[in-house]
Amino acid sequence: MLMKLPALDIRFSSRLPSHGLLDSDISHCEVTEQALAALHHRIQSGEVGFARLPDDRETPRQIAAHARRMKAENFLLVGIGGSSLGAQALFTALRPWYHNWLGKQRKGARFFVLDNVDSDLVDATLRMLKPRETVVNVVSKSGGTAETAANFMIVRRWLMTSLGKKFADHIVATTDPEKGELLNLARQEGYATFTVPPDVGGRFSVLTPVGLLPAHYCGVSILKLLDGAREMARIGLNEKLPNNLPLLSALIIYRYLRRGRTTQVFMPYSSCLQSFADWYRQLWAESLGKKFDRHGQTVHAGQTLLGSIGTIDQHSQVQLLREGPDDKVVFFLQVGKSRRETKIPKDLKQYPSSSYLGGHTLAELMNAECRATQYALASDDRPSLAMSIPEINEYTIGALIMFFELQTAFLGEMLGVNAYDQPGVEEGKLNTFALMGRPGYEERRSALKRFEK
Ligand code: PA5
């Protein structure tokens, strides 16, 4: 099956080896009808807001106005999980390699992230930056995540030490509009603030100021990003199969999952999509990895997602994918052309194992390797999906973000789980509070101490 949507030019195909899926498995059915209806219902009832974010024209205007007022050479994001992965994905995909090292020709601020509470990372980052040239964006929807709080306390003191009373002019807090300690602190100390809509969870928040503010500062056209996302939302919420690509891909993966394919290998053929794979992995894992379904039955749902980068992981993972446990489905993402073509010179004539490459572009080699790997897997009866985009730009990345968010939401409905909570993560957060001595967590702390004995 090969589909092409002219407005978007995203192609999608599913390779179905003999033990794969039949056409009847992936055509319109009760499963897709229910998933679509359920998502529409959640959107209309105000429970789920991510698919409507591209319609918000006001937030990009506010972001642009803010960036005009608060200019910066460096943009330092302090946040973790859904509060940092999306911004990192946008930066890595849409800014040139070595953006931070570019001199005068650099468009936008340099970008730095403090996500982990790793002393080496934090120390090295702060040594590199000058406070007066830096905007610090602390991002936490709950306003109470330990890693973000710790890193922000260090960064806040760093700003204060150097800038005195003016430190607050360098801080933007992105958090819940109504509650949380970060919001209270921002009000008390006078930080600029942006909000995460209450109906948009952390891992679905990249198209809110969580991702859009850093992206805008670093030179990404957030309006084009939202255009691509809006077009994919239109497709995902209105089109029928087979043109509804997010729904179709969710159905294919659902069928494979039901046949025991408990791992998905996401393999984009572009190094620029490495962080995008990290973002997708979190979206998939936290949304679908659930012990209980919506009726309270124990299901242990979910699918392990491994991020792999073509061609690099052909030399690392493909051996396992072809000959190891037959429990995976591979999702290839191919990119038509690079921003700049690099030609391989017609040299080394006397060395035939190299010279045949001369005259081709690197993109041609990359794409040939992607197709070759798909074929190699199919010839071993290992199933894969393949999607291709014409190039990496704001529009296609916006479309991909919405594609994967919708796909995740649809699969959540098919599996009958709540894709929008994360009780497993919350538990770990509460245990950390207890171990680090947060008041009110004494009982939990005693239980943990007993466990560790
Ligand atoms: O997707 C999620 O909800 C989580 O990954 C959160 O984004 C992450 O735990 C950080 O939470 P917060 O934004 O509240 O600091």
Side-chain angles (χ1 to χ4, degrees), residues 80-83 140-143 145 202-203 282 286 422 425 429:
I80 198 163
S83 289
S140 177
K141 185 168 182 198
S142 63
T145 301
R203 56 193 172 273
Q282 189 228 4
E286 275 194 8
Q422 55 285 324
V425 182
K429 284 188 179 184

Side-chain angles (χ1 to χ4, degrees), residues 196-411:
V196 194
D199 58 358
V200 179
R203 56 193 172 273
F204 288 89
S205 69
V206 55
L207 299 178
T208 73
V210 171
L212 297 181
L213 183 74
H216 178 82
Y217 262 94
C218 297
V220 170
S221 166
I222 57 175
L223 291 176
K224 286 189 195 144
L225 190 74
L226 293 170
D227 285 346
R230 194 177 312 112
E231 175 64 356
M232 185 55 83
R234 185 195 64 72
I235 292 167
L237 295 175
N238 301 305
E239 292 282 349
K240 299 248 171 300
L241 289 187
N243 285 343
N244 188 328
L245 300 185
L247 187 60
L248 176 69
S249 67
L251 180 64
I252 293 172
I253 293 172
Y254 173 74
R255 298 292 190 213
Y256 279 129
L257 196 46
R258 285 282 180 255
R259 286 164 168 74
R261 300 201 170 270
T262 51
T263 299
Q264 182 197 156
V265 180
F266 176 56
M267 198 158 180
Y269 272 66
S270 164
S271 289
C272 299
L273 295 176
Q274 174 100 54
S275 301
F276 192 92
D278 292 341
W279 167 81
Y280 177 37
R281 184 178 56 153
Q282 189 228 4
L283 178 71
W284 199 247
E286 275 194 8
S287 304
L288 304 174
K290 299 289 153 72
K291 181 171 178 183
F292 300 111
D293 69 10
R294 283 186 180 273
H295 304 292
Q297 301 292 322
T298 304
V299 287
H300 295 293
Q303 187 184 47
T304 304
L305 196 138
L306 301 179
S308 268
I309 293 292
T311 63
I312 298 168
D313 285 309
Q314 286 178 202
H315 303 272
S316 155
Q317 300 299 306
V318 168
Q319 172 62 34
L320 174 82
L321 302 184
R322 281 195 71 188
E323 297 184 9
D326 194 9
D327 57 359
K328 300 177 188 59
V329 53
V330 183
F331 195 123
F332 290 100
L333 180 59
Q334 198 171 338
V335 179
K337 65 179 173 61
S338 317
R339 283 179 207 128
R340 283 173 189 235
E341 289 297 5
T342 306
K343 246 196 169 152
I344 306 166
K346 289 183 177 168
D347 289 346
L348 303 181
K349 293 257 165 12
Q350 64 281 38
Y351 295 98
S353 64
S354 300
S355 62
Y356 73 100
L357 297 167
H360 290 288
T361 64
L362 288 182
E364 282 168 358
L365 176 58
M366 183 83 108
N367 281 324
E369 297 214 34
C370 182
R371 284 159 49 214
T373 307
Q374 286 170 46
Y375 183 63
L377 289 182
S379 60
D380 248 326
D381 225 10
R382 300 292 167 109
S384 67
L385 315 176
M387 185 169 179
S388 73
I389 55 171
E391 62 179 31
I392 293 175
N393 58 36
E394 277 93 342
Y395 190 87
T396 55
I397 291 296
L400 283 181
I401 285 168
M402 188 55 71
F403 171 87
F404 286 112
E405 289 183 343
L406 285 168
Q407 179 205 55
T408 304
F410 286 137
L411 188 56

Side-chain angles (χ1 to χ4, degrees), residues 78-284:
V78 181
I80 198 163
S83 289
S84 72
L85 287 165
Q88 287 170 281
L90 294 180
F91 177 77
T92 316
L94 296 170
R95 299 319 297 142
W97 278 106
Y98 308 118
H99 169 94
N100 283 359
W101 283 268
L102 293 177
K104 284 213 168 65
Q105 72 274 44
R106 194 187 72 240
K107 187 178 155 217
R110 294 190 200 95
F111 183 56
F112 300 87
V113 177
L114 296 183
D115 45 7
N116 208 355
V117 277
D118 181 323
S119 186
D120 291 333
L121 167 72
V122 174
D123 179 68
T125 306
L126 297 186
R127 276 175 198 278
M128 172 109 70
L129 303 177
K130 293 195 177 79
R132 71 187 145 73
E133 295 178 347
T134 305
V135 161
V136 173
N137 181 206
V138 52
V139 186
S140 177
K141 185 168 182 198
S142 63
T145 301
E147 294 90 334
T148 303
N151 280 341
F152 179 61
M153 285 160 80
I154 294 165
V155 172
R156 176 175 166 277
R157 172 56 64 94
W158 172 78
L159 287 174
M160 281 170 127
T161 307
S162 164
L163 304 172
K165 285 191 181 133
K166 290 204 153 121
F167 83 95
D169 299 346
H170 288 248
I171 301 176
V172 189
T174 306
T175 190
D176 187 274
E178 274 151 25
K179 56 180 191 315
E181 283 193 3
L182 179 56
L183 183 68
N184 296 341
L185 177 68
R187 285 179 175 156
Q188 195 186 328
E189 299 200 329
Y191 310 157
T193 53
F194 280 91
T195 57
V196 194
D199 58 358
V200 179
R203 56 193 172 273
F204 288 89
S205 69
V206 55
L207 299 178
T208 73
V210 171
L212 297 181
L213 183 74
H216 178 82
Y217 262 94
C218 297
V220 170
S221 166
I222 57 175
L223 291 176
K224 286 189 195 144
L225 190 74
L226 293 170
D227 285 346
R230 194 177 312 112
E231 175 64 356
M232 185 55 83
R234 185 195 64 72
I235 292 167
L237 295 175
N238 301 305
E239 292 282 349
K240 299 248 171 300
L241 289 187
N243 285 343
N244 188 328
L245 300 185
L247 187 60
L248 176 69
S249 67
L251 180 64
I252 293 172
I253 293 172
Y254 173 74
R255 298 292 190 213
Y256 279 129
L257 196 46
R258 285 282 180 255
R259 286 164 168 74
R261 300 201 170 270
T262 51
T263 299
Q264 182 197 156
V265 180
F266 176 56
M267 198 158 180
Y269 272 66
S270 164
S271 289
C272 299
L273 295 176
Q274 174 100 54
S275 301
F276 192 92
D278 292 341
W279 167 81
Y280 177 37
R281 184 178 56 153
Q282 189 228 4
L283 178 71
W284 199 247

